[in-house]
Amino acid sequence: DRGRIAAGVITGVGFLGGGAILHFGREQRGLTTAAMIWFVAALGVAIGAGFLLISVLATIIAMAVVVGFQSLERFMPSRGYFLLTVRLPHTDADLSAIGKRIYEATHCRVIAARMKYTSSEAETTLVFRVEAPTTEAFSILAQQIHAVMPSASRFTLELQN
């Protein structure tokens, strides 16, 4: 039965597409890849069923959408994501207070945070994933970070994709 074969292919490939989607806090990546995996499977089923003209037209439309939106993406404002690592004295290592101060000083939002506490040292290492309105905010954030955390002995700031 052709319907069962198509349903099996689409269902099986759906699991592959689901594996292509990665979650980073509130952010998801791989949605276009997952959609294209599913589309290619559907295209294979359509070609196998003998719908060659529809398959060619669907491929042209799909490529126009993917390439067209990729071209439009350059004109859309993009957010910047940064990884901020800070070493502070134990007494100053308050994740929520530091996240609030970062937002007040830079208008950059902390979307994830973790703390590494070592009892043998007098300092705590904090790691923040920060979302900025634009990628240009990187230099602004770097300049203002010392004002936000004057007791920091060391900090690093990395631009993320």
Side-chain angles (χ1 to χ4, degrees):
D1 182 20
R2 290 182 185 171
R4 288 184 181 191
I5 292 171
V9 169
I10 298 304
T11 302
V13 172
F15 283 104
L16 291 175
I21 300 171
L22 303 173
H23 298 275
F24 300 103
R26 297 179 187 163
E27 177 185 349
Q28 291 81 33
R29 291 187 176 253
L31 296 173
T32 304
T33 302
M36 290 307 288
I37 289 171
W38 185 88
F39 173 76
V40 169
L43 193 63
V45 170
I47 291 171
F51 297 110
L52 296 177
L53 181 61
I54 292 172
S55 300
V56 169
L57 291 174
T59 301
I60 291 169
I61 291 169
M63 292 305 294
V65 167
V66 170
V67 172
F69 279 118
Q70 187 177 12
S71 300
L72 288 175
E73 194 174 50
R74 285 184 277 155
F75 301 108
M76 299 171 74
S78 64
R79 296 184 182 273
Y81 294 93
F82 310 99
L83 195 63
L84 171 63
T85 306
V86 184
R87 291 190 66 167
L88 293 165
H90 293 313
T91 56
D92 295 341
D94 183 358
L95 288 173
S96 60
I98 292 171
K100 186 176 179 181
R101 284 188 283 172
I102 289 172
Y103 181 77
E104 289 170 354
T106 62
H107 297 289
C108 296
R109 197 171 53 120
V110 173
I111 55 175
R114 71 176 189 258
M115 178 185 295
K116 180 181 174 186
Y117 175 82
T118 309
S119 60
S120 62
E121 299 177 13
E123 292 184 319
T124 301
T125 302
L126 305 176
V127 180
F128 298 96
R129 183 153 165 80
V130 180
E131 177 187 49
T134 64
T135 53
E136 288 78 28
F138 184 80
S139 60
I140 296 168
L141 184 59
Q143 291 170 359
Q144 295 179 348
I145 205 69
H146 187 67
V148 173
M149 292 174 271
S151 62
S153 63
R154 182 180 353 167
F155 75 90
T156 58
L157 187 63
E158 301 174 37
L159 180 61
Q160 302 281 296
N161 289 332

